[in-house]
Amino acid sequence: MSEITNKPQYQPPVDELGPGQTSFTSVNEKVTGLVFTKKTPPFWIISFAIGFLLLHGLMVGAPYLLYEGVGIWGNNNPVGWGWPIINFVWWIGIGHAGTLISAVLLLFRQKWRTSINRAAEAMTIFAVLCAAQFPLLHTGRPWLAAYWLLPYPNSMAMWVNFRSPLIWDVFAVTTYLTVSLVFWYVGLIPDFASFRDRAKTKIVQVIFGFLSLGWRGSAFHWERYEMASLLLAGLSTPLVLSVHTIVSFDFATGILPGWHTTIFPPYFVAGAVFAGFAMVLTLMIPLRKVYGLYDFITDRHLNNMSKIMLASGLIVAYGYFMEVVIAQYSGSIWEMYMMRNRMGGPYGNYYWALILTNIVAPQFLWFRYFRLHPVYLWIICQFVNVGMWLERFVIVVTSLHRDYMPSSWDMFSPTIWDGIIYIGTMGLFIILFFSFVRGFPLISIHEIRTLLTKHK
C-alpha cells in the first residue's frame, strides 16, 4: 500500500517527455506562461526586429514591380521564369513538413510528434503564404490577370487550359492551404479554451473565448474533435504527395532537356520533406534553448527528425544520380549535353555546391553524436536550406539558358529587385512565425496531456 501511495501521480515516458513535466498543471503553466509572461525574451525581440527590417524588401519591391512591370527582374529570353519560380517551389517545399508531422504521423500513431506538430503546422501555413506572393507578382498586373485567368462564364473565346499543370498548381496549393489552415485551427481549439480559463483580463478572456468556439471539454466535444482531427488528417495525407508532385509537373511535362523525366515527382516530394524538416529544426532548436523547452522537445525529437531528414536526403541523392543515368541511358544528345552543361558549364559551381550541401553535409546524420548535438544539427540544417534553394536554381536556370538553338542562348543574372523581394518574403515569414510564438500556444497542451493520461 505504501508503494502505491508514494508513487508519483503521473510518470511520463522519458523518451517522449522530460522528467520536469509530470502533471497537467506543469504542462499548462509552462505552455500558457510563454504567452502570458510579461518578460519577452530578447531573442524574440531581435528576431522580430530582423523580420520587420527584411519585410521592407517586400513592401518596397512589390509596389515598385506592380508599377514598373516584371522587367525589373532578371528574367530574360530564354530564362523566362528565373527567381520567381525558384522561390515559389522553395517555399512550397518548406511547407511540407507541417502536414507530414500533423497528419501522416498522427495516422501512424507516432506520439513523439505532439511536441512539434503545432509549430510545424504554423510554419506550413506561413510558408505557403510566402510562396503565393511569387505567382501573383509574376503576373505583373494581378488585377488584370484575374480577369483573364479565372474560369467564369463569359463571351470570350479564351478559357483556362485545364490540361496545364500550372492550373493544377492553383487548385493543389489552395486546397493544401485551406486544409492545413482548418487542421491547424481545429487543433488549437482546446488550447484556446485553456488560455481563456487562465486569462487575467477581460479582453483576453473574450478574445480566447471567441477563438475557442465555446469549448467546454465535454465528452461530446472530445468525440467531435477526435472525429474532425482524423477526417482532416485523412484529407491532408494525400496532399503531402500530391502538392509537390503537381509542382514537379510544371517541369516534367515540358519537352525541355533536363526537365522531361519521370523521376521528378518522387524526388520533388522527398526534397520537400527534406527541406521542411530542416526548417522545423532551424526554428525549434533555438526556441528550445530560449524558452527552456527541453522537457517537451527532447533528444528523441531531434533524433527522429534527423533520421527522417537523412532518409529523405538519401532519396534526393538517388534522384540526382538517376538524372545522370537517365540522360546517358536515353541516348539523347540533348539530355547528355544538358547534364554536362550542369556539371561543367557556366553554372557548374552551383551544381557542385548543391552536391556538397544536399548530399555530403547530411551524411553526418549517420552518427548519433551529430543527430543529438543541437549546434551541429542546426548547422547541417542550414546547409540543407541553402542546398534545396540551389537545387531549384540548377533545375530552372541550367535547363533554360541553353536550349536547342545556340543562337538563343543567354546567361541569367538576377537583379537587386529579385533579391529584395525574396528577402522580403523571408521577413514576412519571420514576422508571422514569431507573432504566432508570442500570441498562440507553441506546444499542443491537450495532446501532451493525453500522453500523461496514458502513462499514469
Side-chain angles (χ1 to χ4, degrees):
M1 187 71 175
S2 60
E3 293 180 0
I4 298 176
T5 305
N6 295 331
K7 185 179 179 181
Q9 185 178 6
Y10 300 105
Q11 185 60 44
V14 177
D15 57 350
E16 292 176 358
L17 287 176
Q21 306 303 324
T22 57
S23 69
F24 287 174
T25 303
S26 63
V27 173
N28 196 19
E29 289 181 351
K30 180 64 176 179
V31 178
T32 57
L34 300 179
V35 176
F36 290 141
T37 181
K38 296 181 179 179
K39 297 181 179 179
T40 303
F43 171 79
W44 187 95
I45 297 174
I46 294 172
S47 300
F48 191 86
I50 293 174
F52 183 72
L53 181 64
L54 297 179
L55 180 62
H56 282 75
L58 186 62
M59 296 169 63
V60 173
Y64 181 67
L65 180 139
L66 297 178
Y67 173 77
E68 193 69 23
V70 293
I72 67 172
W73 281 338
N75 300 2
N76 58 22
N77 191 5
V79 186
W81 276 4
W83 273 37
I85 193 66
I86 295 170
N87 299 332
F88 167 76
V89 179
W90 187 76
W91 277 117
I92 290 292
I94 286 176
H96 262 57
T99 305
L100 178 67
I101 292 172
S102 301
V104 179
L105 297 184
L106 172 64
L107 295 177
F108 281 94
R109 307 294 183 184
Q110 296 297 307
K111 298 181 179 64
W112 62 270
R113 58 173 281 282
T114 54
S115 296
I116 58 174
N117 66 325
R118 181 63 50 72
E121 291 167 8
M123 185 197 74
T124 291
I125 296 168
F126 304 148
V128 173
L129 291 176
C130 291
Q133 306 304 312
F134 292 99
L136 291 175
L137 294 175
H138 200 192
T139 60
R141 299 289 188 269
W143 57 92
L144 296 178
Y147 177 76
W148 292 98
L149 294 179
L150 291 180
Y152 54 87
N154 58 79
S155 60
M156 297 180 295
M158 186 175 119
W159 266 64
V160 177
N161 182 9
F162 288 102
R163 295 176 296 177
S164 170
L166 298 176
I167 295 299
W168 307 345
D169 255 354
V170 175
F171 295 143
V173 173
T174 52
T175 303
Y176 185 59
L177 175 61
T178 303
V179 174
S180 299
L181 188 60
V182 174
F183 196 16
W184 178 62
Y185 182 75
V186 168
L188 281 166
I189 290 175
D191 291 354
F192 283 148
S194 298
F195 277 54
R196 174 200 63 201
D197 299 337
R198 189 175 171 81
K200 300 295 181 62
T201 62
K202 185 65 176 177
I203 186 171
V204 176
Q205 288 179 346
V206 170
I207 292 173
F208 284 110
F210 175 78
L211 293 174
S212 62
L213 302 179
W215 178 270
R216 290 294 180 269
S218 65
F220 178 78
H221 285 178
W222 281 112
E223 179 186 2
R224 291 292 184 265
Y225 172 82
E226 294 291 340
M227 183 183 299
S229 296
L230 289 175
L231 286 174
L232 290 170
L235 288 173
S236 301
T237 300
L239 293 175
V240 176
L241 300 175
S242 65
V243 172
H244 226 58
T245 297
I246 291 174
V247 170
S248 75
F249 287 167
D250 295 345
F251 306 96
T253 57
I255 60 174
L256 200 69
W259 288 4
H260 194 60
T261 173
T262 55
I263 196 66
F264 267 27
Y267 109 74
F268 263 56
V269 173
V273 175
F274 191 38
F277 271 86
M279 185 57 73
V280 171
L281 286 167
T282 297
L283 297 170
M284 297 307 293
I285 289 175
L287 292 175
R288 176 178 183 248
K289 172 69 174 178
V290 172
Y291 288 101
L293 301 175
Y294 296 100
D295 291 330
F296 295 102
I297 306 172
T298 64
D299 287 346
R300 187 189 181 200
H301 294 91
L302 301 183
N303 193 35
N304 287 348
M305 287 193 284
S306 299
K307 288 179 179 179
I308 293 176
M309 273 184 57
L310 178 60
S312 56
L314 291 174
I315 298 174
V316 171
Y318 174 77
Y320 297 159
F321 173 74
M322 287 306 297
E323 279 190 299
V324 180
V325 172
I326 290 172
Q328 296 300 317
Y329 183 75
S330 67
S332 170
I333 60 173
W334 312 105
E335 293 286 349
M336 290 187 285
Y337 174 77
M338 182 57 62
M339 291 310 304
R340 290 198 302 270
N341 182 52
R342 281 185 181 177
M343 296 178 182
Y347 298 103
N349 292 336
Y350 291 91
Y351 181 84
W352 295 112
L354 160 66
I355 299 300
L356 173 65
T357 52
N358 272 1
I359 296 182
V360 178
Q363 300 311 309
F364 287 97
L365 297 178
W366 285 102
F367 304 99
R368 182 179 175 84
Y369 176 78
F370 289 96
R371 294 199 303 267
L372 298 183
H373 196 291
V375 176
Y376 293 149
L377 180 57
W378 192 85
I379 292 173
I380 292 172
C381 290
Q382 305 322 300
F383 275 98
V384 173
N385 289 329
V386 173
M388 293 309 297
W389 189 93
L390 287 173
E391 176 194 292
R392 279 70 185 229
F393 180 89
V394 168
I395 290 173
V396 173
V397 175
T398 62
S399 301
L400 288 174
H401 88 111
R402 288 183 176 177
D403 55 12
Y404 293 102
M405 297 180 61
S407 59
S408 67
W409 289 0
D410 198 1
M411 295 295 292
F412 171 80
S413 298
T415 67
I416 188 173
W417 295 105
D418 285 289
I420 286 176
I421 294 175
Y422 175 49
I423 291 174
T425 58
M426 288 186 176
L428 176 63
F429 179 81
I430 293 172
I431 284 183
L432 291 174
F433 185 81
F434 279 91
S435 297
F436 158 77
V437 170
R438 190 65 183 88
F440 293 84
L442 180 62
I443 306 292
S444 179
I445 299 174
H446 71 280
E447 292 193 80
I448 297 295
R449 286 175 170 178
T450 303
L451 293 179
L452 295 174
T453 303
K454 292 180 179 178
H455 292 85
K456 286 186 179 181

